[in-house]
Amino acid sequence: MNILVLNGSPRKQGNTKRMAEAFREGAESVGHEVHIVEVCHMKIAGCLACEYCHTKGNGVCMQKDDMQEVYELLDKAEMLVIASPIYYHGISGQLKCTLDRFYSAAYPRKPKNLKKAAMILSSGDANQYDGALFSFKGDFVDYLGLENMGVFTAHGSENGSVAKLKEIRNFGMSLE
């Protein structure tokens, strides 16, 4: 399976990155192809709401920035994993810009190969996930009809723990 992981953490060695890497290790160990995109280190502008993509662009965004790399990977992906630290009950702003730009490529229908989605979240507190979970369920599971493969969270001392990384690695290994 071809899997696209969008890492929304600006920290190059942070908890979210470590969890995304653990997922990659597990998934690749059983033959899946995994691409982790570090969206915070790319030049991806927010959606302009210009509607070019749905009027003149035939599903292609008029902005030409690093999102082109994401679009190419998204077109091939069979599974999407959204990985982010929690900021104010939601995903990071950089990742939000990236997901908003899915408008041209994923709405009103999902990319042809995309079937599954999962989420990996890191937080300082266990009660911070509501905004991110609402978006994941509404935008990806319900609206695009993707199979929910699970949401994996780590908070406080769970972040970076051997047990949490093993859980996420095992999740990657369990994918069919």
Side-chain angles (χ1 to χ4, degrees):
M1 179 166 40
N2 189 312
I3 303 169
L4 172 59
V5 178
L6 298 177
N7 178 11
S9 176
R11 295 176 58 206
K12 291 183 180 186
Q13 297 301 321
N15 295 314
T16 305
K17 169 77 172 190
R18 291 170 60 192
M19 290 190 291
E21 289 295 341
F23 170 79
R24 180 202 323 240
E25 289 170 15
E28 286 182 346
S29 76
V30 294
H32 299 295
E33 183 177 345
V34 180
H35 301 275
I36 297 179
V37 177
E38 309 289 339
V39 300
C40 292
H41 304 289
M42 300 173 78
K43 292 194 184 308
I44 298 175
C47 178
L48 298 173
C50 66
E51 289 295 331
Y52 175 87
C53 59
H54 294 294
T55 56
K56 300 175 188 170
N58 294 318
V60 176
C61 181
M62 71 174 293
Q63 297 186 78
K64 302 304 176 216
D65 57 12
D66 290 345
M67 189 64 189
Q68 303 313 307
E69 178 184 336
V70 177
Y71 289 139
E72 187 176 316
L73 293 169
L74 180 62
D75 188 52
K76 298 173 187 169
E78 298 164 83
M79 180 175 177
L80 174 67
V81 178
I82 301 166
S84 183
I86 295 296
Y87 297 156
Y88 293 96
H89 300 271
I91 60 174
S92 69
Q94 298 93 326
L95 182 55
K96 178 72 167 101
C97 282
T98 303
L99 294 179
D100 284 351
R101 294 278 297 281
F102 274 35
Y103 181 63
S104 65
Y107 297 99
R109 63 192 151 298
K110 66 184 176 190
K112 64 182 182 279
N113 296 316
L114 195 59
K115 306 283 188 269
K116 302 174 182 185
M119 185 171 250
I120 298 171
L121 302 170
S122 173
S123 174
D125 183 277
N127 299 311
Q128 302 297 312
Y129 303 112
D130 290 349
L133 296 175
F134 179 83
S135 177
F136 177 71
K137 183 179 182 319
D139 295 336
F140 294 94
V141 175
D142 292 345
Y143 186 80
L144 292 180
L146 301 179
E147 181 181 353
N148 184 348
M149 300 304 292
V151 175
F152 299 85
T153 62
H155 66 277
S157 63
E158 288 181 342
N159 280 304
S161 72
V162 171
K164 185 53 69 174
L165 296 176
K166 181 179 179 183
E167 174 189 356
I168 294 170
R169 191 175 295 109
N170 287 343
F171 165 58
M173 292 172 67
S174 74
L175 295 173
E176 295 180 11

